Amino acid sequence: SIIARKLFTYRHKLVATREFIYTFGQPKTPQHLIHFPCVAWGKQDSVIRWRLGNEMVTINPHIKSNDYAFMRFLAESNNYITELPDSLLRNNNPDNPLIELLPEFALPQLDLNLIYPSKKQLSRIARVYIDFCVENAGKYLTQASINE
């Protein structure tokens, strides 16, 4: 049997730079996003849907990626809107900060869980690792600072 241990709950944020907003404007509603250049997490042939508040928006992103660091890089290039986890917004660049868009239409909360076999089968090193994750995950992966 396996165990799922919840480490914390977090939320992705829809972001862009001030330069992007100056150049392209700012979406007023979730449906308005279809008129903006976006980068999204996904496979090349997948349909991308973002749940923003109570609305589901199907977008046609200019770029799809499975690398959040790359998505952040593209957003910081002042050419795209994207969604990023809080942990990637922690060290926001003060010279070109990412600004949260549509905060009144928040993306859903997500749980981060540590999955492992039942404790009967765990080695000592695995137990130490699990304890480390439980004690430190929130310290390293939550409480992002984002300029609004």
Side-chain angles (χ1 to χ4, degrees):
S1 69
I2 62 170
I3 297 181
R5 180 95 181 255
K6 181 178 169 181
L7 298 177
F8 60 85
T9 300
Y10 69 104
R11 182 185 314 269
H12 287 214
K13 294 181 179 172
L14 199 62
V15 296
T17 61
R18 282 192 173 93
E19 180 71 26
F20 176 92
I21 294 167
Y22 178 78
T23 303
F24 297 96
Q26 186 169 350
K28 304 296 182 215
T29 68
Q31 295 301 328
H32 197 211
L33 282 166
I34 63 172
H35 303 292
F36 289 87
C38 296
V39 175
W41 177 275
K43 295 178 184 176
Q44 292 302 354
D45 58 349
S46 63
V47 175
I48 304 297
R49 293 183 184 93
W50 286 342
R51 176 172 298 285
L52 296 160
N54 294 325
E55 296 187 41
M56 185 69 79
V57 180
T58 300
I59 63 166
N60 186 20
H62 286 76
I63 298 172
K64 294 177 186 175
S65 175
N66 65 352
D67 182 343
Y68 280 120
F70 180 61
M71 292 167 60
R72 177 183 170 151
F73 171 80
L74 290 173
E76 289 175 334
S77 75
N78 305 315
N79 293 310
Y80 299 100
I81 292 173
T82 194
E83 53 91 11
L84 294 172
D86 284 345
S87 59
L88 283 179
L89 300 170
R90 176 171 292 171
N91 297 316
N92 211 349
N93 180 350
D95 297 326
N96 191 26
L98 291 169
I99 310 298
E100 184 175 5
L101 303 176
L102 302 172
E104 64 276 19
F105 297 97
L107 286 154
Q109 288 187 328
L110 303 167
D111 291 332
L112 180 67
N113 295 290
L114 182 62
I115 309 294
Y116 54 92
S118 71
K119 292 188 177 187
K120 294 179 213 170
Q121 305 165 6
L122 289 180
S123 66
R124 171 83 176 119
I125 190 87
R127 290 175 199 224
V128 169
Y129 177 73
I130 291 166
D131 291 343
F132 174 83
C133 289
V134 169
E135 291 174 23
N136 294 290
K139 207 184 311 182
Y140 296 108
L141 298 173
T142 62
Q143 301 173 348
S145 67
I146 184 167
N147 299 319
E148 298 184 31

